[in-house]
Amino acid sequence: MPIKFHEGSKTFHIYNKHLSYITCIMENGQMENLYYGKAIRDKEDFSYLHEEIMRSLMAVCVPEPGLLSMQYTKQEYPVYGTGDYRNPALTVRQENGSEIVDFKYVSHEIYGGKKKLAGLPATYTESDEEATSLDITLHDSVMDTDLVLTYSVYEDYPVITRSARLVQKGDQKIRLENVMSAAVEFPDMDYEMIHLSGAWARERYVKTRKLEMGTQAVQSLAGTGSSSEQNPFIALKRPHTTEDTGEVFGFSFVYSGNFLAQVEVSTYEMTRVMMGINPQGFSWELSRDEEFQTPEVVMVYSDKGLNGMSQAYHRLYCDRLMRGKWRNHARPILLNNWEATYFDFNEEKILNIAKKAKEVGVELFVLDDGWFGTRNDDYQGLGDWFVNKNKLPNGISGLSRKIEEMGLKFGLWVELEMVNKNSDCYRAHPDWALQIPGKNPVRSRNQLVLDFSRKDAVDFIFDSITEVLDYAEVEYLKWDMNRSLCDVYSAAAGYQGKVLYDYVLGVYDFLDRLLKRYPNLLIEGCSGGGGRFDAGMLYYTPQIWCSDNTDAINRTRIQYGTSFFYPVAAMGSHVSAVPNHQTGRVTSMHTRGVAAMSGTFGYELNPALLNAKEKAEIRAQLAQYREYQELIREGDYYRLSNPFQDNFAAWMVVSDDRSKALVSVIRLTAEANPPAAYVTLKGMEEDAFYREKTTGKVYPGAALMEAGILLPAAVSEYEAYQIELERV
């Protein structure tokens, strides 16, 4: 049993072959966090890990027999008002105005498997043997409220998941104003914090900062999870940690709303990590017999560097977060018409593009924005999910069947969470938009946000889009969301503090209902590009559009940062037209193809405008991708360079049995008469020999990982190379 409770020392040891996590019940009934790190042998008593030192002005909550002080204790779920002056994981406003709580241990339960979280996405198990879980119940007697801390440890992954649940049993109404999903404390501050930050068209750039005394944090207040600016993921690594060696602790939030990821270093160099729903704009009232469940935090421990952390997240999220048909299934190679036509299309033009796409070997045609209502520009039509018969006289059903007859699958773009003022939906239901009475609403892209915390609004949109999908051959849906939330006020909610959280639950409920109705539907998430690329959405949408920026050179950085946490199988990545629509850069078809093969492959261009040479290149790309798509999707991914620092971007995937590898390299700079450039590989079998497919040369595995492989001499700027290796 990988979770043990030692009755004598009141200690819980959560462990597997990779890690140990130790927590205990203190003298005052609260929980202490004793250890988190590499797996250690179990023993009856780990009390030597408790630090107890008399300090000047120390606030002592238990004076006898020791000197227990919350200010200098590594707490499991800290609260304010106990003599601890650091930031708390929980703030509860009581009827008398007090925020001081005292949750003491009552009971615990250890069980096989993992329970579902009500209304929320989370990692899961398919048998009780895959993981073991622990529920620790604490109770505040004044409020008569339970706090349940839940832990799950997977058997085969270096992973522990955390969440918290509050249950109000008393008669008074309490208000939750801050509820973190997890808190972890470390005894020192010798770490660097990694986070993924950016903006539209440069999402998830890797940022690293040394921890200092005080608070460092990343957060989102955009209402939509990560937004393009901050991703719900942080990691702490030791300063000497590299891609392949050293300790790193990853924290990922399985939620698509406002979040806070905070690291606080005390003046005694203790480090407290907390992650959960952002308290700004959030409050939740609980009356008798009501509960509140926090989203899940997924914690990964690696002593094999950053690649070890990333590969753990990749494997777990591909196998036990994504669901359904497309979890471990080859995704269709698609062509999207957006950059080919924007809003300017009719059925004839679309069918011509689809025909040309079929000729070069594309498998799925996706019709993007502009097919519904009066949607001829950004100012109108959102909310009216009925077909624009002026553009498509035979409707989506007629168009999809014609495209299916060509031998292509058909996909459709939607933006169901939005509404334009110039729409039938808004004119009939202006109260369905999030806006504050008496104030001019804040617009973005000329649209407002529908109130998905309202069941009537969600049901209307659900019925509208299923009326289309029920009668058409739609096998793929691109779920877009092109703005963040402002003016968060619901005309239906009596208490506004719950709207943001209920909005996210409304989105999850909609997606869940959609997938139950259409179990074979592939949904790709999108939010102004990569603005809602988070683990919560992966539960429903097994691939997410990585960025609206399709420039191959910029994409090396975006996809590099994304890979720290998210698997290649989740990254929507396409070959687009040149000059690139975001940067104006011109790169070769080959270079664009190499960049796009680090993800779910597809095209964003008009194949009718391609010359014979370009069409031949696409056919060759598709043949190569089909040969390697299983390896790309399921192999171990390694970062071989840092495109923020190096002159080239390089990465590779290796099969589980180490028999095949695909290495991709893109030169980022051009130099006259450059020095020789080698790329050093990873994950190969040391004692094996590998043949390079193009040249026929045979290399020892150890030599590939130690000496590397020489890249061809540069001929032009932004050249790309793919090295295909197979064990002899």
Side-chain angles (χ1 to χ4, degrees), residues 352-369:
N352 184 52
I353 293 172
K355 179 182 176 184
K356 298 298 182 183
K358 174 62 179 175
E359 289 174 1
V360 296
V362 167
E363 299 165 348
L364 167 70
F365 176 82
V366 180
L367 179 62
D368 210 282
D369 197 357

Side-chain angles (χ1 to χ4, degrees), residues 99-324:
E99 293 181 354
I100 309 302
V101 297
D102 185 16
F103 283 99
K104 297 180 183 294
Y105 170 85
V106 173
S107 63
H108 71 271
E109 178 188 7
I110 299 172
Y111 52 92
K114 209 170 169 287
K115 297 175 183 176
K116 290 185 177 181
L117 302 186
L120 289 165
T123 56
Y124 58 88
T125 58
E126 292 187 341
S127 72
D128 287 350
E129 290 71 38
E130 290 182 7
T132 304
S133 297
L134 165 67
D135 289 345
I136 299 176
T137 299
L138 311 172
H139 186 73
D140 182 294
S141 59
V142 174
M143 296 188 299
D144 197 9
T145 305
D146 281 349
L147 168 63
V148 183
L149 303 180
T150 296
Y151 309 73
S152 295
V153 59
Y154 278 85
E155 180 74 21
D156 296 324
Y157 302 98
V159 170
I160 291 176
T161 66
R162 296 274 306 273
S163 67
R165 179 167 53 93
L166 282 113
V167 183
Q168 175 59 349
K169 296 181 172 181
D171 292 329
Q172 69 164 301
K173 180 182 290 186
I174 60 174
R175 182 180 297 174
L176 312 180
E177 297 184 342
N178 171 37
V179 190
M180 294 289 103
S181 293
V184 180
E185 304 224 36
F186 299 91
D188 67 273
M189 60 177 284
D190 189 26
Y191 292 98
E192 293 175 339
M193 172 179 161
I194 298 175
H195 57 99
L196 306 179
S197 301
W200 177 82
R202 50 179 176 85
E203 296 89 348
R204 292 174 300 285
Y205 277 23
V206 180
K207 304 296 179 183
T208 304
R209 64 173 85 174
K210 187 180 185 304
L211 292 190
E212 297 290 352
M213 290 181 185
T215 301
Q216 36 262 298
V218 293
Q219 64 175 359
S220 174
L221 291 171
T224 55
S226 57
S227 79
S228 298
E229 297 180 355
Q230 304 290 352
N231 202 265
F233 157 78
I234 60 171
L236 296 188
K237 75 176 186 70
R238 294 298 188 182
H240 61 269
T241 295
T242 68
E243 284 283 1
D244 307 299
T245 62
E247 280 195 323
V248 57
F249 299 84
F251 300 86
S252 163
F253 198 34
V254 188
Y255 184 62
S256 307
N258 290 348
F259 76 91
L260 174 65
Q262 180 174 285
V263 181
E264 183 177 5
V265 179
S266 76
T267 54
Y268 287 91
E269 301 188 359
M270 295 166 59
T271 298
R272 173 177 291 174
V273 180
M274 295 195 301
M275 182 173 272
I277 296 169
N278 199 310
Q280 178 65 42
F282 168 85
S283 62
W284 195 276
E285 293 183 339
L286 285 181
S287 297
R288 188 181 184 90
D289 297 328
E290 292 181 339
E291 300 184 3
F292 181 83
Q293 172 67 57
T294 72
E296 183 173 82
V297 170
V298 178
M299 307 188 325
V300 163
Y301 169 76
S302 169
D303 62 353
K304 297 179 177 60
L306 294 166
N307 264 321
M309 176 196 71
S310 298
Q311 289 172 4
Y313 276 121
H314 296 176
R315 290 191 294 270
L316 179 71
Y317 283 1
C318 280
D319 294 338
R320 292 298 179 264
L321 180 65
M322 299 179 189
R323 302 175 299 157

